Amino acid sequence: MTRKESFQKGIQAGIPIGLGYFAVSFTFGMMSVSGGLTTWEAVLISLTNLTSAGQFAGLDIILASGSYLEMMLAQLIINLRYILMSFSLSQKLTRDEPWAHRYAVAFGVTDEIFGVSASQTGKVSPFFNYGAMCVAIPGWVLGTLVGAVLGGLLPAHIVSALSVAIYGMFLAVVIPPAKYDRAVLWAVIGAMGLSTAFAVLPVLKQVSSGFVIIITTVVVSTIAAWLAPIQEEGKEKALHE
Amino acid sequence: MNNHFIYIFVMAATTYLIRMIPLVFFKKEITNPFFRSFLYYVPYTCLAAMTFPAILTATSSILSATVGFAVALYLAYREKSLLTVALAACGAVFLAERVMEWMGMLSL
């Protein structure tokens, strides 16, 4: 596949992501302004961070006038999953392109962009990621801008409905492969079960949401890797196709 | 009162470094079958953990959220696109909440 073809494929994969992001970042823009940030501060956060959970947590810290150290630790913990994703992507990205591309690809490592590049067959070109980023980033930034400007005008029932958009997207990434690979199915069920345990059981309930995601990801992936190691090359390819 | 721009800088720098370091500085191809398998499962477990049970408390009511979850699950199983699944889930929550409002179960 040429660079151009990879880029175009990335754009296609990026369109639903960009639209989903618009809905989620809309809420972020709205909450930022209602909390006391300016529209441009909200837009700058979205442009430089490109992450949902981290930004919402960061917003809370800014509004509560927390310390810079607290901000750093919160981002580190909530976004620690990106370390796992970047590790995974470091294996998936083609070695035929200059290494420097990885500095730019890194900026766009989000749950969804990672999700679509992980679901590609074989190695992935950085240009695929650039294509997805070209649509997803404007979606995220524009959604923030529109939410910041119009948010106050939107009725509560619309806001409530829009807040499931991101989860719908996540399910659309994990469920299809779970249909074809029993080990993935059990990994998904196990992860949902363990994070539910963290949400409802005493003591476990006190663990912050960022840590819950990290612990669940590491524990369930370890068990899955131990019980159902992947067959070389066989499972390398995407199960989506 | 701290400076908003310093906050934004701290946020952005931390988040970028987390994404960049493993991608740029981890040069070797991982050959260990256990670690390869671990990384294969990471996206699924991570996204699943973020989705459930968080989806249940995302809307105004756990009932409407359950309806949205069920619709998203069904359409994802039918392999509909990311956007279709996301928008249908929003639509389902919206309709469920209108019905609940009409039945007097919810007031917004």
Side-chain angles (χ1 to χ4, degrees), chain A residues 50 66 91 103 109 180 195, chain B residues 7 16 19 24 30 40 52 79:
Chain A
L50 199 68
Q91 302 296 304
Y103 286 98
V109 176
Y180 302 106
S195 63
Chain B
Y7 276 127
Y16 179 70
R19 289 165 160 160
V24 172
I30 298 171
Y40 168 79
F52 198 86
E79 300 184 39

Side-chain angles (χ1 to χ4, degrees), chain A residues 72-158:
Chain A
M72 200 193 84
L73 288 176
Q75 297 305 315
L76 187 67
I77 291 163
I78 295 168
N79 293 331
L80 209 56
R81 65 181 190 282
Y82 293 137
I83 290 186
L84 299 175
M85 293 183 187
S86 285
F87 253 123
S88 174
L89 198 59
S90 78
Q91 302 296 304
K92 184 83 180 167
L93 275 181
T94 177
R95 282 149 194 274
D96 302 338
E97 294 284 355
W99 202 260
H101 281 298
R102 297 189 170 212
Y103 286 98
V105 168
F107 183 74
V109 176
T110 67
D111 303 327
E112 298 75 16
I113 295 175
F114 170 72
V116 293
S117 45
S119 72
Q120 296 301 303
T121 310
K123 295 284 180 187
V124 171
S125 156
F127 288 86
F128 175 85
N129 286 56
Y130 295 157
M133 286 160 74
C134 275
V135 195
I137 297 174
W140 187 248
V141 174
L142 283 176
T144 308
L145 177 63
V146 175
V149 174
L150 299 180
L153 310 171
L154 211 70
H157 54 263
I158 299 285

